[in-house]
Amino acid sequence: MKALVTGGAGFIGSHIVERLLNDGHEVVVLDDFSTGHRHNLPEHSSLSIIEGDISNYDTVKQCMSGIDWVFHKAAVASVPRTVNDPVGSSLINYLGTLHLLEAARQNKVKRFVFASSAALYGDEPTLPKLETMCPVTLSPYAVDKLASESACGMYSRLYGLETVCLRYFNVYGPRQDPSSPYSGVISIFTNKLSHNEIPTIYGDGEQTRDFVFVSDVVEANMKAVTEKACSGQFFNIACANKISLNHLLKTLCELYEVELNARYEEARQGDIKHSYANIDKARTLLNWSPSIDLKEGLSRLI
Ligand code: NAD
Ligand code: UD2
């Protein structure tokens, strides 16, 4: 197959590219390198890299020629950045998706997989999170993900384009960039510990997250293009585990063989207390389940 991976130079996208190349597919990456890096991508005869912006429709159309599968990962992935620039980020996070959907429809793409987010559930207190729950959008990021999911559903129903939306919870693994204070907490903690620095926990550390290793996320993407029954659907992608930040840091300290206490600071404004997924729908319709638990994933990362 010939696959287009938008955001292919980023954390999750680059792992999807690697898997597609290993499986013998031809890959086109469209990325503007705003947060992604060329060094995340291998030199490979079946890989072409196009530097461009998904908010430019002409660029998107050029990349879509002959494409069978689209993995749409490009986005302003930082929630605070979308809060600071709701209009600019929606040109990428929503309009960019629409450009890709329309170009995919025109080019008779076989499957379109969209990277959605647990951010859709907002601070809705019910646990675990189920796909049938009403979204509570607390940020421009969540609004754009919801609007993009809605557009994917519409393209399936109205035009017959086969779309699948994957609602990632907290993804971690190699190549996650720790450089911003809003980077994924595991990338920040491992970076600190490997430099003998004290990590900061915001709040009492008893908040929980449902961490999922990036190779399991890649596998979910592969299922999304190959499983018949999942077209037009959206799925939680997580481990169905509640891991507190205190537990996370304790596990990391054991793996690094260090003893330290975190610095505790005030909880972040708008921080969600608990995030935890029901993944029965993905198990049933996507035929996917996670295979790497936290300890195994952290060991691989380290
Ligand atoms: P990332 O920042 O590493 O990757 C995003 C990629 O998109 C980068 O390579 C960036 O350069 C590219 N990009 C950004 N704007 C672009 C534009 N206008 N045109 C072309 N390319 C552009 O982030 P990630 O963690 O790999 O996230 C990938 C996707 O998964 C995103 O859509 C994100 O919203 C979603 N997601 C991630 C998580 C997580 O835990 N990492 C959780 C939920 C959803
Ligand atoms: C994640 C996603 C976000 C969105 C959201 C959905 C990332 C980077 N962000 O936000 O895009 O999809 O889920 O709900 O994947 N923390 C510390 N110390 C640190 C850094 C973080 O204590 O140095 C805490 C933070 O306050 C939070 C938890 O760790 O309680 C997880 O933070 P995060 O930024 O990794 O991810 P989250 O869940 O806020």
Side-chain angles (χ1 to χ4, degrees), residues 77-79 117-119 141 168-171 176 181-186 188-189 200-202 207 209 211 245 268 271-272 275:
S78 153
V79 175
S117 168
Y141 177 83
Y168 306 146
F169 280 63
N170 291 64
V171 188
Q176 189 167 30
Y182 294 101
S183 298
V185 65
I186 290 181
I188 294 177
F189 281 9
T200 302
I201 288 183
Y202 300 110
Q207 69 265 45
R209 291 295 184 270
F211 295 105
L245 281 236
R268 278 180 178 170
D271 207 41
I272 293 165
S275 174

Side-chain angles (χ1 to χ4, degrees), residues 80-98:
R81 254 183 227 157
T82 71
V83 171
N84 291 336
D85 182 13
V87 176
S89 54
S90 97
L91 294 177
I92 298 164
N93 289 3
Y94 175 62
L95 192 63
T97 306
L98 201 56

Side-chain angles (χ1 to χ4, degrees), residues 29-282:
V29 164
L30 170 58
D31 202 298
D32 70 351
F33 297 99
S34 50
T35 56
H37 306 282
R38 266 177 204 275
H39 60 71
N40 284 342
L41 292 167
E43 292 276 334
H44 198 290
S45 54
S46 298
L47 171 66
S48 30
I49 302 169
I50 297 168
E51 183 165 355
D53 185 340
I54 57 165
S55 61
N56 181 327
Y57 187 45
D58 287 335
T59 304
V60 169
K61 276 196 292 191
Q62 279 163 24
C63 298
M64 201 61 79
S65 174
I67 295 292
D68 300 298
W69 294 338
V70 175
F71 298 89
H72 174 31
K73 313 290 139 187
V76 177
S78 153
V79 175
R81 254 183 227 157
T82 71
V83 171
N84 291 336
D85 182 13
V87 176
S89 54
S90 97
L91 294 177
I92 298 164
N93 289 3
Y94 175 62
L95 192 63
T97 306
L98 201 56
H99 286 162
L100 281 146
L101 284 167
E102 179 54 18
R105 172 176 86 91
Q106 303 277 356
N107 283 273
K108 300 194 171 30
V109 159
K110 295 186 176 73
R111 277 281 167 98
F112 186 104
V113 186
F114 172 63
S116 189
S117 168
L120 285 184
Y121 296 111
D123 57 2
E124 213 285 330
T126 321
L127 291 169
K129 307 294 185 195
L130 259 178
E131 288 89 344
T132 46
M133 283 174 182
C134 235
V136 180
T137 47
L138 296 177
S139 62
Y141 177 83
V143 169
D144 293 333
K145 290 293 184 192
L146 182 61
S148 294
E149 277 199 3
S150 181
C152 287
M154 180 271 284
Y155 265 77
S156 283
R157 291 185 293 272
L158 183 64
Y159 301 118
L161 175 70
E162 295 197 358
T163 64
V164 182
C165 300
L166 302 177
R167 293 179 176 175
Y168 306 146
F169 280 63
N170 291 64
V171 188
Y172 70 102
R175 300 205 279 271
Q176 189 167 30
D177 190 344
S179 58
S180 137
Y182 294 101
S183 298
V185 65
I186 290 181
S187 69
I188 294 177
F189 281 9
T190 49
N191 189 44
K192 294 259 183 209
L193 289 178
S194 59
H195 291 94
N196 288 320
E197 291 169 17
I198 306 281
T200 302
I201 288 183
Y202 300 110
D204 63 4
E206 286 308 301
Q207 69 265 45
T208 55
R209 291 295 184 270
D210 199 337
F211 295 105
V212 56
F213 193 65
V214 68
S215 63
D216 279 328
V217 170
V218 171
E219 185 59 26
N221 276 270
M222 295 306 128
K223 294 283 187 185
V225 288
T226 50
E227 289 295 316
K228 286 213 163 32
C230 63
S231 172
Q233 299 286 339
F234 40 91
F235 300 95
N236 289 342
I237 298 299
C239 276
N241 269 332
K242 281 166 83 171
I243 307 286
S244 76
L245 281 236
N246 288 327
H247 178 78
L248 170 69
L249 187 58
K250 186 169 164 279
T251 310
L252 278 170
C253 287
E254 281 164 16
L255 289 167
Y256 275 97
E257 296 176 348
V258 291
E259 275 185 40
L260 56 77
N261 291 316
R263 180 181 303 118
Y264 285 83
E265 286 186 11
E266 211 175 309
R268 278 180 178 170
Q269 218 187 0
D271 207 41
I272 293 165
K273 187 75 184 167
H274 299 293
S275 174
Y276 159 48
N278 177 308
I279 55 170
D280 290 348
K281 187 176 175 187

